Amino acid sequence: MSQFLQVSTATPERQQAVELAKGAVKGRLAAGSQIIGPVGSVFWHLGEFGEGEEWRLLLTTTSERYPELEKFLLENHPWENPEVIAVAIAHGSPEALQWIEASVTEP
């Protein structure tokens, strides 16, 4: 059985997050996505302290599909060096995990 992941990134504008989500899901790189925002952000970037608003994008996938999802996000992201992070899903209902697996498997 696959290891399941929740992948996150953020964009400066809502429509950019929507486009990333659509591309990832249509490409079967992610089973689904939620877009949350705007959210406040406080960070260090390029050696400088900053704060702002972003749109948080959460995607579900498998460890097998993660490399392709990461590549897609990095190639299509509006920022030059975006944060893309994946965390393991420790537990989930069997139905949800089966849905993720089936959704990212090429037909």
Side-chain angles (χ1 to χ4, degrees), residues 9 14 38 45 56-57 65 70 79 100:
T9 192
R14 181 184 182 281
H45 185 67
R56 174 66 60 196
L57 179 62
R65 295 297 277 167
E70 180 186 83
W79 287 330
I100 294 169

Side-chain angles (χ1 to χ4, degrees), residues 45-72:
H45 185 67
L46 300 175
E48 294 186 19
F49 179 81
E51 63 180 289
E53 285 189 345
E54 302 174 330
W55 292 85
R56 174 66 60 196
L57 179 62
L58 300 174
L59 306 109
T60 51
T61 194
T62 62
S63 57
E64 290 85 4
R65 295 297 277 167
Y66 176 78
E68 291 173 85
L69 175 58
E70 180 186 83
K71 182 176 189 259
F72 170 82

Side-chain angles (χ1 to χ4, degrees), residues 84-98:
V84 176
I85 295 177
V87 295
I89 297 172
H91 301 283
S93 70
E95 294 84 3
L97 300 179
Q98 289 168 1

Side-chain angles (χ1 to χ4, degrees), residues 5-105:
L5 303 173
Q6 183 175 70
V7 180
S8 67
T9 192
T11 61
E13 297 177 16
R14 181 184 182 281
Q15 192 57 40
Q16 294 164 329
V18 170
E19 292 304 316
L20 287 175
K22 284 182 179 180
V25 173
K26 285 182 179 179
R28 294 191 172 270
L29 303 174
S33 178
Q34 293 81 40
I35 298 164
I36 305 161
V39 297
S41 183
V42 178
F43 52 87
W44 282 100
H45 185 67
L46 300 175
E48 294 186 19
F49 179 81
E51 63 180 289
E53 285 189 345
E54 302 174 330
W55 292 85
R56 174 66 60 196
L57 179 62
L58 300 174
L59 306 109
T60 51
T61 194
T62 62
S63 57
E64 290 85 4
R65 295 297 277 167
Y66 176 78
E68 291 173 85
L69 175 58
E70 180 186 83
K71 182 176 189 259
F72 170 82
L73 293 172
L74 293 175
E75 288 178 353
N76 293 282
H77 204 285
W79 287 330
E80 186 176 317
N81 186 25
E83 177 182 87
V84 176
I85 295 177
V87 295
I89 297 172
H91 301 283
S93 70
E95 294 84 3
L97 300 179
Q98 289 168 1
W99 165 73
I100 294 169
E101 181 87 48
S103 296
V104 299
T105 301

